[in-house]
Amino acid sequence: MPIDVLETAILESLFANMDRVAEQCGDQYPLFRQASSEQWTLSRRGSWMGGFWAGLWWRRALISGQDQHKEQAQSWSQKLQVWQDEPSINRSFVFWYGSGLGSLLHKDRQAQASVELAVQALLSSFDASSGYWPLGSGMGGGEAGKHILNVDALAPTLLLLDAQGGPVARQFGQWHVDACLRYLQKRSGAWRDTVLLRGQDVLAEQGTETWQRGQAWAMLGMVTAARLYDRKSYAQAALQACRYWHERWGKYVQGYLLRDAPAMPVDRSAWAIASLALYELGQILPEQQWLQEQSRLYLDALLTPELSQTGRFVGHLYKVAPGQSELVESACASFFLVETLLAHSA
């Protein structure tokens, strides 16, 4: 099957699968589905991944042009308002993908109002004494979250701030990026996913050189910073992070993604995020042709005939129980696969 035909079939299948998932949901959000199960684990409020479910519907509505898809997006987006007061920077996942896309792609007034509230909450929670947004105590962060700097939500945080505009939002965004560079980036281009700080001292760190999704979040965040703030130093940091990914994992894409090793599952969602980051950085740095070439290779390795038949992207390494992580289907993983497909088709 030619790759363009396969891509079209996969996109249609992913969207058709959304209807089947929605039938299970009722008024709850799909959290994850284990590969061995037909039933999704549902969440009343959606956790940090609820925004991706609404985001998929915003994307689908734009492509289909059908009112029913837009109405689904609006409904799921509005139910996310319960997170407005949650003390966590991971609200940015909820409100950029869940509302920001509705405002950006559809000029939806309710989505725009939601974005404005989310940005005001962000600005009021900025830690001016430290110069960054801490992870926060909400969404499972606990008391330690007040002293944690985490890279995961960097991209959607910057996109929310940019949507609202204004010099204060812009300055806070740049200070946060600078703090991430100072505390999370290593000289090799590897990124820590999380650090526990006391003042300017790092007490503990997680994810360095091993956690693929953390590195992918860092790549996407720094590419977003380079695009929004047009700083050469940000673009170079993004390039360094992408080079690290390529040297550490990317050149072995076939071995990582096509091997059959269930005892050592590979987070395919991280590869989708990384593919999108490389593609977007290639738009900023067109002289770095390898970026889009590698992005294409990652995407090709993720696309399978089975995916075109089922629409089920089982690619998110997720903690399904204490001490137990496995590859599951999630709205987050499917969202980034769709975004990368659409980026390359453009």
Side-chain angles (χ1 to χ4, degrees):
M1 183 181 290
I3 189 64
D4 57 333
V5 177
L6 179 61
E7 288 178 3
T8 300
I10 287 175
L11 194 60
E12 291 176 351
S13 190
L14 284 165
F15 286 156
N17 185 50
M18 289 167 59
D19 294 326
R20 295 190 292 270
V21 177
E23 289 178 0
Q24 288 193 22
C25 288
D27 60 355
Q28 299 187 79
Y29 290 86
L31 194 58
F32 66 88
R33 183 189 68 82
Q34 293 170 268
S36 59
S37 174
E38 290 295 317
Q39 180 65 44
W40 279 72
T41 295
L42 305 177
S43 168
R44 182 175 58 84
R45 302 206 304 165
S47 184
W48 64 272
M49 292 199 291
F52 292 108
W53 181 236
L56 280 168
W57 286 99
W58 288 123
R59 270 294 180 204
R60 186 180 182 186
L62 183 69
I63 293 170
S64 72
Q66 294 187 25
D67 289 342
Q68 61 180 335
H69 297 152
K70 185 175 179 179
E71 289 167 2
Q72 281 270 27
Q74 290 170 326
S75 175
W76 290 112
S77 178
Q78 282 303 300
K79 291 174 185 175
L80 293 169
Q81 300 314 302
V82 295
W83 292 107
Q84 285 286 4
D85 296 325
E86 187 75 5
S88 172
I89 195 174
N90 285 338
R91 284 178 304 181
S92 297
F93 282 123
V94 173
F95 291 108
W96 174 251
Y97 299 109
S99 299
L101 289 186
S103 176
L104 179 68
L105 302 177
H106 297 272
K107 310 303 179 186
D108 185 84
R109 291 184 179 180
Q110 288 186 322
Q112 176 59 38
S114 175
V115 167
E116 291 173 358
L117 288 173
V119 171
Q120 290 307 311
L122 261 178
L123 295 179
S124 65
S125 64
F126 186 77
D127 187 342
S129 63
S130 300
Y132 60 82
W133 277 280
L135 175 64
S137 59
M139 294 187 174
E143 282 302 306
K146 298 176 182 179
H147 309 286
I148 286 174
L149 179 62
N150 177 268
V151 76
D152 296 4
L154 178 56
T157 297
L158 300 181
L159 289 165
L160 274 175
L161 295 169
D162 183 68
Q164 191 268 351
V168 174
R170 188 175 182 85
Q171 184 63 75
F172 282 8
Q174 289 185 340
W175 282 342
H176 185 69
V177 173
D178 292 342
C180 288
L181 285 169
R182 184 164 61 252
Y183 293 114
L184 300 176
Q185 182 194 41
K186 300 193 75 173
R187 290 183 180 181
S188 64
W191 276 64
R192 303 173 175 96
D193 179 72
T194 299
V195 292
L196 176 65
L197 296 167
R198 182 175 61 192
Q200 297 184 0
D201 297 327
V202 176
L203 301 184
E205 63 181 56
Q206 291 181 357
T208 309
E209 301 178 354
T210 58
W211 180 226
Q212 289 186 349
R213 197 158 69 237
Q215 185 74 17
W217 287 135
M219 291 157 61
L220 187 63
M222 288 312 303
V223 170
T224 303
R227 177 164 55 84
L228 296 180
Y229 301 130
D230 193 27
R231 282 193 177 183
K232 290 184 179 179
S233 60
Y234 291 171
Q236 287 304 306
L239 181 61
Q240 189 179 13
C242 290
R243 279 180 174 152
Y244 176 84
W245 177 285
H246 174 65
E247 293 299 323
R248 183 73 168 80
W249 300 297
K251 63 173 63 175
Y252 311 110
V253 59
Q254 299 296 321
Y256 270 106
L257 295 183
L258 300 183
R259 69 186 181 188
D260 183 16
M264 297 179 63
V266 175
D267 191 331
R268 286 167 169 77
S269 69
W271 288 79
I273 297 165
S275 178
L276 182 62
L278 265 67
Y279 180 89
E280 292 187 352
L281 187 58
Q283 299 290 300
I284 298 171
L285 303 174
E287 70 277 8
Q288 300 285 339
Q289 295 183 5
W290 69 273
L291 291 167
Q292 296 206 11
E293 292 170 357
Q294 285 294 305
S295 175
R296 180 76 250 184
L297 285 175
Y298 300 172
L299 178 59
D300 288 348
L302 291 169
L303 304 182
T304 65
E306 291 78 13
L307 187 57
S308 70
Q309 296 165 9
T310 66
R312 293 175 165 182
F313 181 39
V314 181
H316 190 144
L317 190 59
Y318 190 82
K319 184 179 290 186
V320 297
Q324 179 185 351
S325 295
E326 61 184 72
L327 287 176
V328 302
E329 183 183 357
S330 75
C332 175
S334 296
F335 177 87
F336 282 107
L337 184 63
V338 167
E339 289 293 276
T340 309
L341 273 167
L342 294 177
H344 279 279
S345 67

